[in-house]
Structures are given as C-alpha cells and as structure tokens.
Amino acid sequence: MKGTGLLAIITICLFSTTHAQVKTLELRLSARDLPDSDPFGGAPDPYAIVHYSASPSDQYVVVGQTTEQDDVNKCEWPEVFPFEYTGPGSVQRIKLDIMDEDLDEDDNIGYVEINLLDIVSSSGMALEVEIIPSGSGYVRVVGNFANQ
C-alpha cells in the first residue's frame, strides 16, 4: 500500500483546484425599446424565459422566468438568475425568449443568445444585445459573482 498517501494528496489538490474555478455568476435582466405589440398599439407586458446550455452541442434547458411587467416598452426585472460559471474556457450560454403576456396566447417578441464568457469579459460585466428579429428592442444582462 505504499504510495496511497501521495495519491490522496494529488486527488485533494486536483479537487481543490477544479472546485476553486467554479463561481456563482448572478445575472440580472432588463429590456428597452420593446415594440408596441398589444391590440390597438399598446405597450407590451414583457417577461423573459431563461434557458441554459453547458455547451453549443447541448440542448437548452429552461431554468427560470421573470415576472411580467405591465404595459411597458422598457423594464428591469427584479429576479436574479444564478449560474455556476466554470471559468475562462467556458462555452456555457443562455438564451432569453422575450415574451408579451396576453389574455389569450402570449406573443414571442424575440430572443437573444449570449455566452456567459462574453458577459464576464465585458466592461463592468454588463452586455447589451439586440433582440432577434432586428427592431424588437434590446436586452441588457448584468452579471456579478456572488460573495465578492
């Protein structure tokens, strides 16, 4: 059983190094310039559905949803969405479906797809992206690392 202690030390060091790189990234969302989409030209009642994918080859999974805001073309949602950010080599991404709540069936205003690395590496950890299709407004995502 010689060498077992060394293996245990190496395993602990590798675990500590890997574990230290994972941080909780908290994201806050807002939108502006949303198009009037309610009947008779009224402002939308926007909310966002948040999807997550660990890599480009993985399917998106719904991880949350914001509250609906009444009759606004610009809003800041109060919810915070935490993600376990894996570090500089990350290929993690989110997709935000921007929706308009209606009485009968909700309308899809558009969507954005963003790499978490782009948020972390942007100035002030804030990124503004045009909603697809063009002309549907903008989403701003602001990130910060928890407990920092």
Side-chain angles (χ1 to χ4, degrees):
M1 298 305 268
K2 281 190 168 187
T4 305
L6 180 59
L7 179 60
I9 291 171
I10 291 171
T11 303
I12 290 170
C13 289
L14 287 175
F15 175 75
S16 297
T17 302
T18 304
H19 185 67
Q21 291 177 345
V22 176
K23 297 179 180 180
T24 300
L25 176 63
E26 297 177 334
L27 300 181
R28 289 173 174 75
L29 312 174
S30 61
R32 68 176 178 87
D33 299 337
L34 298 174
D36 289 344
S37 57
D38 277 352
F40 311 109
D45 306 309
Y47 66 93
I49 301 171
V50 181
H51 308 259
Y52 169 80
S53 174
S55 74
S57 61
D58 290 346
Q59 294 290 320
Y60 280 109
V61 176
V62 174
V63 295
Q65 180 175 315
T66 66
T67 53
E68 170 261 329
Q69 305 293 307
D70 290 327
D71 300 321
V72 295
N73 299 97
K74 177 181 180 180
C75 63
E76 189 171 316
W77 289 289
E79 293 80 11
V80 176
F81 297 94
F83 295 92
E84 295 302 315
Y85 178 66
T86 58
S90 171
V91 291
Q92 298 165 280
R93 55 198 180 121
I94 59 169
K95 177 182 177 191
L96 306 172
D97 286 323
I98 309 303
M99 306 295 291
D100 173 23
E101 184 177 80
D102 286 328
L103 294 176
D104 52 355
E105 186 176 328
D106 295 354
D107 299 320
N108 187 321
I109 294 172
Y111 72 95
V112 298
E113 291 183 285
I114 303 170
N115 291 325
L116 294 186
L117 179 60
D118 292 340
I119 298 166
V120 171
S121 59
S122 65
S123 176
M125 287 181 51
L127 189 65
E128 186 169 90
V129 181
E130 186 174 13
I131 298 170
I132 299 169
S134 180
S136 298
Y138 297 85
V139 169
R140 180 175 170 86
V141 180
V142 178
N144 72 295
F145 287 112
N147 302 321
Q148 291 189 357

